[in-house]
């Protein structure tokens, strides 16, 4: 929780004023029993000896105390709510920004469902905890100990009952807190699992229904939901013990006070009003300890959730690419040096995979093993292989989505891990394997590639991606609405728009990760022809299962089980690469 308090620094004033106004309310409340005692002893007094004027004056005093207490309470609530809501907003923003900086390895490790839970449910619990602490954490102890001190000023013998009751209450309250805190962590973890299953079912609802697995998924959800319910019931039962135990202790103390007070009144050591005042102080303690018990439950939940939120912020951001190389400018200019009136070019390749291996975190075997090749600027590289051969993993290493576990990837002679993430990815355009569009318009989606892109640039990218008919066929053209995740578009339409989005920024490296799989052969051929004609200096990586899509590439890389088993042109591979032959002849009839 300490690590999260930094987000309260902009609300120091509210964090101080809220408890102060609550303390002011508490002090006024502590005077009420004394006023009541004065009304009983001096105003009512013995029969025939009442003082109506004193009763009126003390009654007005009670109204004044109530009015000032109410004003103090409302003011405290305002400042506490403002601090808590502002704190949670800043914390949620910080968590979201941190998640945006996480590399794919850490996101895969943490899990989408738990990240969502921690950003929503957990932060809401922390917000409630902060709000309650600012309002009650000082007020309740002040009332409890203040009431005990005030009781001592009235009668020491009767007040000794407070000395016994308060430690017993403290044992109950803090004992329950120590037991329930780890249990609340288990509850939140179970909630993660329920959310994960819910998310899977919502995203995969078509597959579930297609294979008639509704009952299986219902059973799986029911099991996790029952586990969550049992955990919540267990912790609720323990938390619920707090209130009756505190009532038993406090009411027992009140019985002892009435008995002791009666003896003291009979002996003439106390007045009736003073006994009523002492009992009122014990009642105040009862009310405050009930509040404190509920506060402890809320704080316990908040602390458990705060640890989970802090756990997200402690995940390393994976910003190895943020390290700056001292020779950044030299590396960028490494392609050539001025030599008199001519330019002497070095032999440094534009992009080089230097014996690269990749092992996903938690995986037993290597996904990519000893991948080594060089690419010159402007070349088209085709990547082909069987399912699970590591094609997508290979191209995901170029933008730094995953860090290499062995070897290095160099761009113009410079290790990409020494290039800032922003600089690296500004030079790369990616059309991912799964076409993803965001809620908005076609224009807003395409401008992800270049926020200040003009209509001319957008249409140029659209034409290259063979998506003009998609845009012109919708009402509004570029301003046509796109539903969340592009659900109002077909698979081929989404793929063409994601390719256009990657082309808008005119990248130096274009990665098409099987992004034309939903296109027919004719559209695919026109797309490949258009890509060749538009940008001569763009280095293009095309991942595909179709031999026809990559057969005209300058260089084809054939992967099998994470290893490069062939590299060269279509003709060369068709002559001497068995894996490529198998893929090609499975799609085309073998020539005689």
């Amino acid at each position: 929780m300490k690590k999260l308090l930094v987000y309260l620094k902009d609300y120091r004033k509210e964090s101080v004023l809220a408890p102060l106004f609550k303390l002011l309310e508490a002090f006024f409340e502590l005077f009420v029993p004394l006023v009541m005692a004065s009304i009983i002893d001096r105003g009512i007094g013995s029969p025939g000896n009442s003082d109506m004027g004193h009763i009126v004056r003390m009654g007005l005093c009670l109204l004044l105390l109530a009015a000032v207490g109410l004003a103090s309470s409302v003011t405290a609530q305002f400042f506490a709510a403002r601090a808590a809501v502002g704190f949670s907003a800043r914390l949620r923003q910080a968590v979201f920004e941190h998640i945006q900086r996480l590399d794919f390895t850490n996101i895969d490790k943490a899990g989408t469902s738990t990240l969502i839970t921690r950003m929503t449910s957990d932060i809401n619990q922390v917000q409630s905890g902060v709000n309650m602490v600012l309002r009650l954490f000082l007020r309740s102890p002040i009332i409890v100990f203040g009431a005990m001190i005030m009781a001592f000023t009235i009668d020491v013998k009767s007040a000794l009952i407070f000395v016994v009751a308060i430690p017993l209450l403290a044992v109950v309250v803090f004992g329950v807190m120590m037991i329930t805190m780890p249990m609340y962590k288990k509850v939140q973890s179970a909630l993660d699992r329920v959310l994960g299953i819910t998310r899977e079912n919502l995203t995969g609802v078509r597959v579930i229904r297609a294979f008639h697995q509704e009952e299986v998924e219902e059973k799986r959800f029911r099991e996790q939901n029952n586990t969550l319910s049992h955990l919540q019931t267990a912790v609720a039962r323990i938390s619920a013990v707090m209130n009756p135990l505190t009532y038993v202790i406090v009411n027992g103390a009140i019985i002892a006070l009435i008995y002791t007070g009666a003896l003291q009144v009979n002996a003439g050591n106390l007045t009736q009003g003073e006994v009523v005042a002492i009992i009122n102080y014990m009642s105040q303690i009862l009310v405050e300890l009930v509040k404190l018990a509920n506060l402890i439950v809320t704080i316990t939940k908040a602390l458990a959730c705060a640890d989970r939120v802090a756990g997200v912020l402690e995940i390393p951001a994976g910003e190895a690419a943020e390290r700056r190389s001292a020779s950044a400018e030299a590396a960028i200019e490494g392609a050539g040096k001025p030599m008199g009136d001519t330019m002497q070019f070095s032999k440094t390749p534009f992009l080089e995979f230097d014996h690269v291996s990749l092992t996903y975190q938690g995986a037993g075997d290597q996904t990519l093993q000893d991948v080594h090749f060089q690419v010159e600027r402007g070349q088209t590289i085709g990547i082909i292989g069987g399912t699970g051969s590591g094609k997508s993993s290979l191209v995901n290493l170029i933008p730094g989505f995953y860090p290499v576990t062995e070897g290095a990837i160099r761009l113009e002679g410079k290790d990409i891990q020494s290039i800032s993430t922003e600089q690296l990815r500004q030079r790369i355009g990616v059309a991912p394997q799964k076409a993803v569009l965001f809620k908005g318009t076609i224009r807003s989606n395409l401008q992800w590639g270049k926020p200040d892109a003009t209509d001319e640039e957008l249409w140029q990218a659209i034409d290259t991606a063979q998506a003009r008919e998609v845009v012109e066929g919708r009402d509004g053209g570029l301003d046509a609405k796109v539903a969340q995740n592009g659900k109002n578009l077909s698979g081929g339409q989404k793929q063409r728009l994601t390719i256009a989005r990657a082309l808008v920024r005119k990248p130096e490296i274009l990665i098409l990760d099987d992004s034309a799989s939903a296109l027919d052969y004719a559209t695919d051929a026109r797309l490949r022809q258009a890509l060749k004609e538009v940008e001569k200096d763009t280095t293009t990586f095309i991942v595909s299962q179709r031999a026809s899509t990559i057969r005209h590439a300058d260089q084809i890389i054939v992967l099998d089980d994470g290893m490069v088993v062939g590299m060269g042109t279509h003709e060369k591979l068709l002559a001497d690469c068995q894996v490529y032959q198998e893929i090609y002849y499975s799609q085309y009839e073998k020539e005689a």
Side-chain angles (χ1 to χ4, degrees), residues 132-277:
M132 294 290 282
V133 165
L134 292 178
R135 287 166 46 198
L136 298 177
F137 194 68
L138 288 180
R139 182 187 188 279
S140 292
I142 288 293
I143 289 287
V144 171
F145 291 104
M148 184 176 68
I149 292 169
M150 297 297 283
F152 268 101
T153 63
I154 297 172
D155 181 57
V156 175
K157 187 176 180 180
S158 299
L160 289 175
I161 298 171
F162 287 75
V163 177
V164 177
I166 290 175
L168 287 175
L169 292 167
V171 169
V172 171
V173 169
F174 288 101
V176 170
M177 182 184 74
M178 297 301 293
I179 295 171
T180 55
M181 186 178 291
M183 296 182 71
Y184 279 118
K185 290 183 181 179
K186 292 181 180 178
V187 167
Q188 291 301 116
S189 297
L191 182 62
D192 284 346
R193 293 191 291 272
V194 170
L195 182 62
I197 293 174
T198 305
R199 182 176 176 274
E200 285 180 358
N201 275 266
L202 291 175
T203 54
V205 63
R206 295 176 185 271
V207 178
I208 292 170
R209 293 183 180 177
F211 287 89
H212 194 53
Q213 293 294 303
E214 293 93 339
E215 292 184 3
V216 174
E217 290 302 313
E218 285 176 10
K219 181 181 177 183
R220 190 162 71 104
F221 181 84
R222 191 182 301 111
E223 290 173 353
Q224 291 297 334
N225 193 34
N226 288 339
T227 301
L228 175 61
S229 298
H230 292 321
L231 285 171
Q232 288 177 322
T233 302
V235 71
R237 283 175 177 167
I238 296 174
S239 298
V241 169
M242 191 182 299
N243 281 355
L245 283 179
T246 53
Y247 273 106
V248 167
I249 294 171
V250 171
N251 284 319
I254 289 176
I255 292 171
L257 280 174
I258 292 172
Y259 176 76
T260 305
L263 295 177
Q264 293 285 77
V265 170
N266 192 46
N269 296 328
L270 282 178
T271 65
Q272 294 176 355
E274 288 172 335
V275 173
V276 171

Side-chain angles (χ1 to χ4, degrees), residues 241-543:
V241 169
M242 191 182 299
N243 281 355
L245 283 179
T246 53
Y247 273 106
V248 167
I249 294 171
V250 171
N251 284 319
I254 289 176
I255 292 171
L257 280 174
I258 292 172
Y259 176 76
T260 305
L263 295 177
Q264 293 285 77
V265 170
N266 192 46
N269 296 328
L270 282 178
T271 65
Q272 294 176 355
E274 288 172 335
V275 173
V276 171
I278 292 174
I279 294 173
N280 280 340
Y281 281 128
M282 183 56 76
S283 298
Q284 283 185 349
I285 290 175
L286 171 62
V287 172
E288 290 306 318
L289 283 172
V290 170
K291 291 181 182 178
L292 188 60
N294 293 327
L295 172 63
I296 294 298
V297 172
T298 302
I299 290 176
T300 303
K301 290 181 182 179
L303 289 175
C305 293
D307 287 342
R308 287 162 50 83
V309 175
V312 175
L313 295 173
E314 289 170 0
I315 298 174
E319 291 291 333
E322 290 298 327
R323 297 193 301 269
R324 302 294 194 273
S325 171
S327 58
E329 291 81 5
I332 294 174
E333 296 172 1
K337 298 179 181 179
M339 298 289 289
D341 296 329
T342 63
M343 183 73 77
Q344 178 66 42
F345 288 90
S346 71
K347 295 182 180 180
T348 302
F350 176 65
L351 182 68
E352 178 184 12
F353 274 63
D354 185 5
H355 301 283
V356 169
S357 296
L358 170 66
T359 303
Y360 289 114
Q361 192 164 11
D365 298 327
Q366 289 181 324
T367 301
L368 294 174
Q369 183 178 345
D370 196 32
V371 176
H372 182 77
F373 63 89
Q374 296 178 349
V375 178
E376 298 301 330
R377 184 186 290 273
Q379 282 190 325
T380 298
I381 309 299
I383 301 174
I384 196 168
T387 302
S389 58
K391 304 184 294 298
S392 295
S393 297
L394 188 147
V395 293
N396 281 336
L397 294 175
I398 300 172
F401 291 157
Y402 291 94
V404 300
T405 48
E406 293 180 20
I409 302 173
R410 298 186 181 90
L411 180 61
E412 295 181 322
K414 184 177 180 182
D415 193 325
I416 64 168
Q417 290 192 358
S418 66
I419 306 173
S420 73
T421 301
E422 183 179 2
Q423 289 178 342
L424 176 65
R425 293 179 186 169
Q426 279 181 346
R427 304 174 70 176
I428 299 173
V430 180
Q433 188 173 23
K434 181 181 179 181
V436 176
L437 296 174
F438 296 87
K439 185 177 181 180
T441 62
I442 293 177
R443 184 192 303 276
S444 66
N445 273 276
L446 296 185
Q447 286 180 332
W448 273 53
K450 185 179 180 183
D452 58 348
T454 63
D455 283 7
E456 182 181 352
E457 290 173 314
L458 296 179
W459 281 111
Q460 183 180 353
I462 289 168
D463 285 335
T464 304
Q466 309 302 305
R468 177 174 282 271
E469 64 181 74
V470 178
V471 180
E472 290 183 341
R474 308 187 75 82
D475 293 337
L478 286 172
D479 295 311
K481 298 295 182 183
V482 175
Q484 185 177 5
N485 206 26
K487 290 184 178 180
N488 59 337
L489 298 167
S490 68
Q493 290 172 334
K494 286 195 289 186
Q495 284 192 338
R496 281 179 279 178
L497 288 177
T498 54
I499 294 171
R501 180 174 59 196
L503 290 168
V504 165
R505 66 176 13 164
K506 295 182 172 61
E508 295 179 47
I509 299 174
L510 176 63
I511 299 173
L512 304 179
D513 184 6
D514 205 14
S515 55
S517 58
L519 304 185
D520 58 78
Y521 284 93
T523 305
D524 186 20
R526 291 197 300 271
L527 171 64
R528 284 184 279 111
Q529 184 62 34
L531 288 173
K532 283 185 177 181
E533 295 174 355
V534 173
E535 293 293 336
K536 300 297 184 183
D537 293 332
T538 299
T539 304
T540 305
F541 286 82
I542 302 176
V543 176

